[in-house]
PDB file of all heavy atoms in Angstrom:
ATOM      1  N   LYS A   7     109.233 111.881 -17.338  1.00 98.00           N
ATOM      2  CA  LYS A   7     107.911 111.277 -17.416  1.00 98.00           C
ATOM      3  C   LYS A   7     107.995 110.037 -18.308  1.00 98.00           C
ATOM      4  O   LYS A   7     108.561 110.082 -19.392  1.00 98.00           O
ATOM      5  CB  LYS A   7     106.906 112.273 -17.959  1.00 98.00           C
ATOM      6  CG  LYS A   7     106.868 113.539 -17.104  1.00 98.00           C
ATOM      7  CD  LYS A   7     105.589 114.293 -17.270  1.00 98.00           C
ATOM      8  CE  LYS A   7     105.560 115.524 -16.405  1.00 98.00           C
ATOM      9  NZ  LYS A   7     105.673 115.289 -15.005  1.00 98.00           N
ATOM     10  N   TYR A   8     107.414 108.952 -17.833  1.00 98.00           N
ATOM     11  CA  TYR A   8     107.485 107.670 -18.521  1.00 98.00           C
ATOM     12  C   TYR A   8     106.097 107.072 -18.688  1.00 98.00           C
ATOM     13  O   TYR A   8     105.172 107.391 -17.948  1.00 98.00           O
ATOM     14  CB  TYR A   8     108.335 106.673 -17.723  1.00 98.00           C
ATOM     15  CG  TYR A   8     109.779 107.067 -17.633  1.00 98.00           C
ATOM     16  CD1 TYR A   8     110.252 107.817 -16.562  1.00 98.00           C
ATOM     17  CD2 TYR A   8     110.680 106.694 -18.621  1.00 98.00           C
ATOM     18  CE1 TYR A   8     111.579 108.183 -16.480  1.00 98.00           C
ATOM     19  CE2 TYR A   8     112.009 107.053 -18.550  1.00 98.00           C
ATOM     20  CZ  TYR A   8     112.452 107.801 -17.471  1.00 98.00           C
ATOM     21  OH  TYR A   8     113.771 108.165 -17.397  1.00 98.00           O
ATOM     22  N   TYR A   9     106.002 106.162 -19.637  1.00 98.00           N
ATOM     23  CA  TYR A   9     104.818 105.323 -19.804  1.00 98.00           C
ATOM     24  C   TYR A   9     105.319 103.895 -19.957  1.00 98.00           C
ATOM     25  O   TYR A   9     106.167 103.617 -20.816  1.00 98.00           O
ATOM     26  CB  TYR A   9     103.996 105.729 -21.031  1.00 98.00           C
ATOM     27  CG  TYR A   9     102.689 104.972 -21.103  1.00 98.00           C
ATOM     28  CD1 TYR A   9     101.575 105.430 -20.408  1.00 98.00           C
ATOM     29  CD2 TYR A   9     102.579 103.794 -21.822  1.00 98.00           C
ATOM     30  CE1 TYR A   9     100.385 104.731 -20.434  1.00 98.00           C
ATOM     31  CE2 TYR A   9     101.392 103.090 -21.862  1.00 98.00           C
ATOM     32  CZ  TYR A   9     100.297 103.563 -21.166  1.00 98.00           C
ATOM     33  OH  TYR A   9      99.114 102.869 -21.187  1.00 98.00           O
ATOM     34  N   LEU A  10     104.832 103.007 -19.122  1.00 98.00           N
ATOM     35  CA  LEU A  10     105.271 101.620 -19.126  1.00 98.00           C
ATOM     36  C   LEU A  10     104.079 100.722 -19.439  1.00 98.00           C
ATOM     37  O   LEU A  10     103.012 100.879 -18.861  1.00 98.00           O
ATOM     38  CB  LEU A  10     105.843 101.248 -17.754  1.00 98.00           C
ATOM     39  CG  LEU A  10     106.338  99.821 -17.564  1.00 98.00           C
ATOM     40  CD1 LEU A  10     107.583  99.567 -18.410  1.00 98.00           C
ATOM     41  CD2 LEU A  10     106.650  99.575 -16.099  1.00 98.00           C
ATOM     42  N   GLY A  29      98.953  99.551 -18.518  1.00 98.00           N
ATOM     43  CA  GLY A  29      99.811 100.676 -18.867  1.00 98.00           C
ATOM     44  C   GLY A  29      99.761 101.701 -17.752  1.00 98.00           C
ATOM     45  O   GLY A  29      98.684 102.007 -17.234  1.00 98.00           O
ATOM     46  N   ILE A  30     100.920 102.182 -17.333  1.00 98.00           N
ATOM     47  CA  ILE A  30     100.958 103.195 -16.275  1.00 98.00           C
ATOM     48  C   ILE A  30     101.887 104.335 -16.674  1.00 98.00           C
ATOM     49  O   ILE A  30     102.915 104.128 -17.308  1.00 98.00           O
ATOM     50  CB  ILE A  30     101.415 102.622 -14.914  1.00 98.00           C
ATOM     51  CG1 ILE A  30     102.819 102.003 -15.003  1.00 98.00           C
ATOM     52  CG2 ILE A  30     100.407 101.624 -14.372  1.00 98.00           C
ATOM     53  CD1 ILE A  30     103.451 101.706 -13.670  1.00 98.00           C
ATOM     54  N   GLU A  31     101.491 105.538 -16.292  1.00 98.00           N
ATOM     55  CA  GLU A  31     102.350 106.711 -16.408  1.00 98.00           C
ATOM     56  C   GLU A  31     102.987 106.936 -15.055  1.00 98.00           C
ATOM     57  O   GLU A  31     102.349 106.745 -14.019  1.00 98.00           O
ATOM     58  CB  GLU A  31     101.523 107.937 -16.790  1.00 98.00           C
ATOM     59  CG  GLU A  31     100.995 107.891 -18.194  1.00 98.00           C
ATOM     60  CD  GLU A  31     100.264 109.171 -18.571  1.00 98.00           C
ATOM     61  OE1 GLU A  31     100.586 110.247 -18.033  1.00 98.00           O
ATOM     62  OE2 GLU A  31      99.360 109.076 -19.410  1.00 98.00           O
ATOM     63  N   PHE A  32     104.252 107.335 -15.064  1.00 97.00           N
ATOM     64  CA  PHE A  32     104.922 107.643 -13.804  1.00 97.00           C
ATOM     65  C   PHE A  32     106.058 108.620 -14.045  1.00 97.00           C
ATOM     66  O   PHE A  32     106.527 108.796 -15.163  1.00 97.00           O
ATOM     67  CB  PHE A  32     105.427 106.363 -13.115  1.00 97.00           C
ATOM     68  CG  PHE A  32     106.487 105.608 -13.874  1.00 97.00           C
ATOM     69  CD1 PHE A  32     107.837 105.789 -13.584  1.00 97.00           C
ATOM     70  CD2 PHE A  32     106.141 104.718 -14.881  1.00 97.00           C
ATOM     71  CE1 PHE A  32     108.804 105.088 -14.279  1.00 97.00           C
ATOM     72  CE2 PHE A  32     107.103 104.012 -15.576  1.00 97.00           C
ATOM     73  CZ  PHE A  32     108.440 104.196 -15.276  1.00 97.00           C
ATOM     74  N   ASP A  33     106.466 109.269 -12.978  1.00 96.00           N
ATOM     75  CA  ASP A  33     107.596 110.194 -12.995  1.00 96.00           C
ATOM     76  C   ASP A  33     108.759 109.549 -12.262  1.00 96.00           C
ATOM     77  O   ASP A  33     108.567 108.755 -11.340  1.00 96.00           O
ATOM     78  CB  ASP A  33     107.252 111.498 -12.265  1.00 96.00           C
ATOM     79  CG  ASP A  33     106.126 112.262 -12.915  1.00 96.00           C
ATOM     80  OD1 ASP A  33     105.851 112.035 -14.103  1.00 96.00           O
ATOM     81  OD2 ASP A  33     105.515 113.098 -12.229  1.00 96.00           O
TER      82      ASP A  33
END
Side-chain angles (χ1 to χ4, degrees):
K7 303 202 179 300
Y8 294 93
Y9 187 85
L10 179 68
I30 59 167
E31 290 184 28
F32 64 96
D33 297 339

